Amino acid sequence: MDLRIQENCENIDWNIIRDYLKLVGMGYHKPELHQKAFLNSFSVVFIFDHERLIGFGRAISDGAYQAAIYDVVVIPEYQKQGIGRLITERILQRISNCNIMLYANLGREEFYAKLGFRLMKTAMAKYLRPEIMKEKGFIQ
Ligand SMILES: CC(C)(COP(=O)(O)OP(=O)(O)OC[C@H]1O[C@@H](n2cnc3c(N)ncnc32)[C@H](O)[C@@H]1OP(=O)(O)O)[C@@H](O)C(=O)NCCC(=O)NCCS
């Protein structure tokens, strides 16, 4: 692998971001909306192998003491090779002064547990489409 880590949004093809989110079964939107989300994020990480985008992630934060991680993706053929850890650890470096929340896709809890995350007992969420999130098993 010839990995390159990019921590800004320069020259990102937002259609690919949408396609990868869709590919791995995560929530996806119009490319312009992903562009807005990443541009407005506190920390962004994109990983390339030989200049092909293979994974990404981002965090929002107040820059002081609270942060949340979203949209962590490694494309299937590159999974289980340490790329997800690399992305998340790089994001964590920029928010090391913060309490950090995220909601894990079902089945990914162990991945985040290995990075030091613990299950929350009182997390509450107000989703735009609660019936779908209930169906997916995110809320009661
Ligand atoms: C979850 C995801 C980002 C993990 O990326 P990855 O590159 O495969 O993970 P890594 O190879 O860096 O794994 C780091 C550690 O977590 C473990 N791990 C990774 N995925 C796991 C899973 N689904 N279940 C349990 N453990 C997992 C690895 O075995 C590894 O353990 P080790 O350090 O003891 O060897 C990737 O599988 C993915 O993009 N999945 C689809 C999208 C998704 O669910 N994203 C998370 C949204 S919450």
Side-chain angles (χ1 to χ4, degrees):
M1 278 194 272
D2 179 20
L3 295 185
R4 178 171 71 83
I5 302 177
Q6 179 176 319
E7 293 181 84
N8 60 55
C9 294
E10 272 168 36
N11 299 319
I12 297 301
D13 182 341
W14 303 103
N15 292 294
I16 295 181
I17 301 297
R18 188 263 326 270
D19 291 349
Y20 283 2
L21 284 163
K22 189 175 176 186
L23 178 73
V24 300
M26 288 173 62
Y28 63 95
H29 307 277
K30 285 182 186 161
E32 304 77 48
L33 208 53
H34 293 305
Q35 179 178 27
K36 184 175 181 182
F38 277 80
L39 280 172
N40 285 336
S41 291
F42 185 80
S43 169
V44 298
V45 173
F46 301 93
I47 307 273
F48 298 83
D49 180 25
H50 292 96
E51 292 309 311
R52 176 189 180 204
L53 184 65
I54 60 164
F56 52 84
R58 66 186 182 93
I60 57 174
S61 177
D62 53 26
Y65 47 84
Q66 300 291 355
I69 291 180
Y70 292 96
D71 295 340
V72 175
V73 168
V74 177
I75 58 172
E77 64 194 276
Y78 282 87
Q79 287 176 8
K80 302 275 165 142
Q81 298 172 62
I83 308 289
R85 175 185 285 275
L86 182 67
I87 293 169
T88 313
E89 284 180 343
R90 190 57 80 99
I91 294 171
L92 290 174
Q93 277 175 18
R94 286 219 47 218
I95 50 176
S96 59
N97 53 325
C98 291
N99 291 315
I100 303 159
M101 290 180 59
L102 59 82
Y103 53 95
N105 252 2
L106 295 180
R108 310 292 185 236
E109 296 91 335
E110 189 58 28
F111 167 70
Y112 287 111
K114 286 187 169 171
L115 286 156
F117 288 83
R118 298 173 67 169
L119 279 179
M120 292 179 70
K121 284 191 175 178
T122 62
M124 306 282 287
K126 190 170 186 302
Y127 288 112
L128 290 173
R129 294 185 295 173
E131 62 293 338
I132 291 176
M133 297 310 273
K134 185 177 176 192
E135 211 171 277
K136 286 185 170 178
F138 284 100
I139 52 173
Q140 296 173 0

